[in-house]
């Protein structure tokens, strides 16, 4: 069966699900998107879209509003204890429009994808539709508008996040680990002297970037006792004092939080599956490979998954395409997951001696000065080829 005759259900309208729906629809499939949230808005404050994610969005013709609003970064600084520079991470120039990391509001990225999905005539978007079960024969049980129903599909793409219902319906050899690491995120008014990049402190990492002309996005490790206690007791001044005591730059940013409710606190998890398909079920994004956020590749990888899945389905029958999809994506993502775990451990060293050794090592290795290696190492696919692939697939 060619992709033009495929009836696909995509479960989840996060970044991964919306991109998958668009790619499948523009490649010729009929697509139903089922999202339990009646008003999904892209929670999570800000996001860093790397060249691999940008390549997929560019191939879909969606980067215009993101580039106009967002903040392009060609390099970011990594600072150590006391704010001393450890490394400058430069973005390789992969090709036109693919030479930067774009920091944007999540709500904007989500709105751009959702608008494109709404405008696609062959996509049936059902918001407030909760999937109860999905099985390898392609049978999806859901409730929508107070009524239960069943859809029979040729393909069911599980883009339903860390606690995926689609994953629970098949055999994926799943291992899920809930991590110790928690992160707090927020948006505050931007100032000219804001830190852009990351500071690795005794409380763990603190990162920040502008996401538009007026707004600064920050993310902060929330695992150390001082920060965890402040969050547990809803004590914003204690949260602000803790960060100010280890990094004046971080302190200045969190001082602009107007209220505790402006903080979004997330516990992270890692998901490992193999294979990523079972019968007509296939997984992508966090459902297949949730990872530590330390390399900023969770959503970017979901965008690459969407492109590769659609490309493989355009070439082969469903069983062969899903096998090729797992074979191409899983090893590449596994390397990134492992790297993200290493960075999570490295950035959260709490003993002064271990931090001193880490900082000295980073300062004196090849990373010193400016290196494009760390960003290049996590792209998984060549961004230029990825963009060309999406453009060809979607007739752009
Ligand atoms: C602190 C932090 C910072 C991060 N920064 C970055 C970054 O800079 N760059 C980056 O690439 N990644 C980043 N990430 C990771 C990124 O947020 C995730 O990897 C990404 O959002 C996953 O997208 P997804 O579409 O796979 O899943 P999700 O965003 O989890 O979407 C799943 C969707 O499925 C829906 N759903 C779930 N169950 C059902 C059901 N039964 N029926 C119907 N719908 C259902 C949910 O409502 C949701 O809308 C960060 C993560 C954290 C915690």
């Amino acid at each position: 069966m060619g992709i033009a005759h495929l009836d696909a259900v995509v479960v989840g309208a996060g970044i991964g699900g919306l991109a998958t729906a668009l790619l499948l629809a523009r490649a010729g499939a009929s697509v139903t998107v089922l999202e339990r949230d009646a008003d999904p808005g892209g929670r999570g404050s800000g996001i860093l879209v790397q060249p691999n994610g940008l390549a997929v969005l560019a191939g879909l013709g969606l980067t215009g509003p993101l580039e106009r609003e967002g903040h392009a970064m060609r390099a970011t600084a990594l600072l150590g204890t006391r704010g001393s520079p450890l490394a400058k991470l430069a973005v390789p120039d992969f090709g036109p429009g693919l030479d930067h990391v774009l920091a944007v509001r999540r709500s904007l990225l989500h709105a751009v994808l959702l608008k494109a999905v709404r405008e696609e005539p062959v996509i049936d978007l059902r918001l407030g539709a909760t999937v109860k079960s999905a099985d390898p024969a392609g049978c999806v049980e859901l409730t929508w508008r107070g009524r239960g129903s069943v859809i029979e599909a040729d393909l069911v793409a599980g883009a339903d996040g860390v606690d995926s219902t689609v994953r629970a319906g098949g055999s994926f050899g799943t291992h899920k680990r809930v991590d110790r690491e928690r992160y707090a995120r927020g948006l505050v008014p931007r100032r000219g002297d804001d830190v852009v990049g990351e500071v690795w402190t005794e409380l763990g990492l603190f990162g920040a970037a502008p996401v538009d002309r007026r707004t600064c996005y920050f993310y902060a490790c929330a695992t150390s006792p001082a920060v965890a206690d402040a969050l547990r007791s809803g004590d914003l001044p204690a949260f602000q004092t803790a960060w100010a005591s280890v990094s004046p730059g971080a302190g200045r940013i969190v001082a602009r939080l107007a209220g505790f409710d402006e903080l979004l606190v997330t516990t992270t998890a890692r998901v490992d599956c193999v294979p990523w398909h079972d019968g007509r079920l296939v997984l992508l994004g966090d459902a297949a490979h949730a990872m530590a956020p330390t390399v900023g590749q969770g959503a970017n990888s979901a965008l690459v998954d969407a492109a590769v899945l659609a490309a493989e389905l355009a070439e082969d029958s469903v069983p062969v395409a899903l096998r090729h999809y797992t074979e191409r994506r899983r090893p590449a993502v596994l390397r990134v997951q492992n790297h993200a775990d290493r960075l999570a451990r490295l950035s959260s060293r709490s003993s002064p001696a271990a931090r001193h050794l880490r900082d000295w090592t980073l300062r004196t290795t090849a990373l010193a000065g400016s290196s494009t290696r760390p960003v290049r190492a996590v792209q998984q696919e060549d961004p230029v080829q990825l963009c060309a692939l999406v453009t060809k697939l979607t007739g752009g």
Side-chain angles (χ1 to χ4, degrees):
M1 177 195 286
I3 196 167
H5 301 286
L6 197 77
D7 269 322
V9 166
V10 176
V11 184
I15 294 166
L18 291 173
T20 303
L22 270 177
L23 274 143
L24 292 177
R26 290 193 187 171
S30 303
V31 183
T32 303
V33 180
L34 304 173
E35 166 56 52
R36 69 181 168 197
D37 196 336
D39 183 21
R43 277 174 217 94
S45 318
I47 189 160
L48 306 182
V49 188
Q50 299 196 25
N52 55 350
L54 277 177
V56 177
L57 295 167
L60 287 166
L62 299 179
T63 44
L66 302 173
E67 296 283 1
R68 273 196 299 281
E69 280 287 313
H71 179 79
M73 302 189 293
R74 291 193 167 72
T76 58
L78 177 59
L79 307 173
T81 318
R82 317 263 161 267
S84 55
L86 295 183
K88 186 173 167 199
L89 308 180
V91 184
D93 184 356
F94 290 105
L98 301 172
D99 61 349
H100 59 282
V101 168
L102 191 68
V104 285
R105 282 177 181 259
R106 269 202 199 232
S107 53
L108 177 66
L109 173 57
H110 199 266
V112 165
L113 283 162
L114 196 57
K115 178 169 180 284
V117 162
R118 285 186 198 281
E119 287 170 357
E120 208 53 63
V122 295
I123 300 182
D124 175 6
L125 173 66
R126 301 188 193 176
L127 300 180
T130 301
V131 169
K132 298 291 182 194
S133 70
D135 70 27
C139 182
V140 180
E141 263 188 284
L142 65 138
T143 53
W144 188 43
R145 296 178 173 164
R147 304 223 331 244
S149 60
V150 172
I151 301 177
E152 308 269 351
D154 301 317
L155 178 81
V156 181
D160 49 347
V162 175
D163 295 311
S164 171
T165 301
V166 175
R167 199 177 65 223
S171 295
F172 297 99
T174 308
H175 175 70
K176 181 183 162 193
R177 182 190 80 203
V178 176
D179 281 335
R180 210 173 56 89
E181 275 83 23
R182 302 182 85 209
Y183 291 86
R185 288 173 274 180
L187 297 171
V188 295
R190 180 181 169 186
R191 299 238 176 102
D193 60 348
D194 284 341
V195 176
V196 178
E198 273 184 18
V199 197
W200 287 5
T201 76
E202 44 266 65
L203 299 181
L205 67 81
F206 182 97
V211 284
D212 60 34
R213 272 186 297 279
R214 296 161 304 282
T215 317
C216 170
Y217 160 57
F218 74 85
Y219 51 97
C221 181
T223 311
S224 69
V227 175
D229 288 350
L231 293 175
R232 202 172 303 115
S233 50
D235 187 345
L236 181 61
F239 177 82
Q240 291 166 321
T241 306
W243 281 107
S245 71
V246 294
S247 163
R252 279 195 293 275
I253 290 174
V254 296
R256 279 172 245 148
L257 279 164
F260 187 81
D261 292 346
E262 291 182 5
L263 283 171
L264 172 74
V265 183
T266 315
T267 301
T268 58
R270 171 165 170 160
V271 170
D272 283 281
C273 295
V274 68
W276 287 1
H277 60 93
D278 181 14
R280 297 185 182 280
L281 304 180
V282 64
L283 303 174
L284 67 119
D286 277 8
H289 53 67
M291 64 179 82
T294 43
V295 289
Q297 270 294 335
N300 286 295
S301 301
L303 289 167
V304 180
D305 294 342
V308 171
L309 178 62
E312 295 296 348
L313 285 163
E315 289 293 316
D316 276 303
S317 64
V318 170
V320 176
L322 299 191
R323 186 161 48 79
H324 287 167
Y325 163 73
T326 297
E327 284 168 2
R328 184 160 160 190
R329 293 298 297 134
R330 211 250 165 183
V333 173
L334 184 62
R335 280 193 291 276
V336 176
Q337 286 178 296
N338 291 340
H339 184 49
D341 276 349
R342 276 195 297 278
L343 282 190
R345 285 195 296 275
L346 207 57
S347 63
S348 60
R349 294 268 190 268
S350 54
S351 108
R355 279 202 319 278
H356 180 77
L357 180 64
R358 173 198 73 195
D359 291 4
W360 178 83
T361 311
L362 279 170
R363 235 183 263 119
T364 52
T365 59
L367 279 186
S370 175
S371 174
T372 55
R373 212 152 37 98
V375 178
R376 188 183 295 280
V378 295
Q379 299 306 302
Q380 305 160 48
E381 296 264 335
D382 176 65
V384 172
Q385 286 177 19
L386 200 53
C387 183
L389 178 82
V390 173
T391 307
K392 184 169 159 232
L393 196 63
T394 57

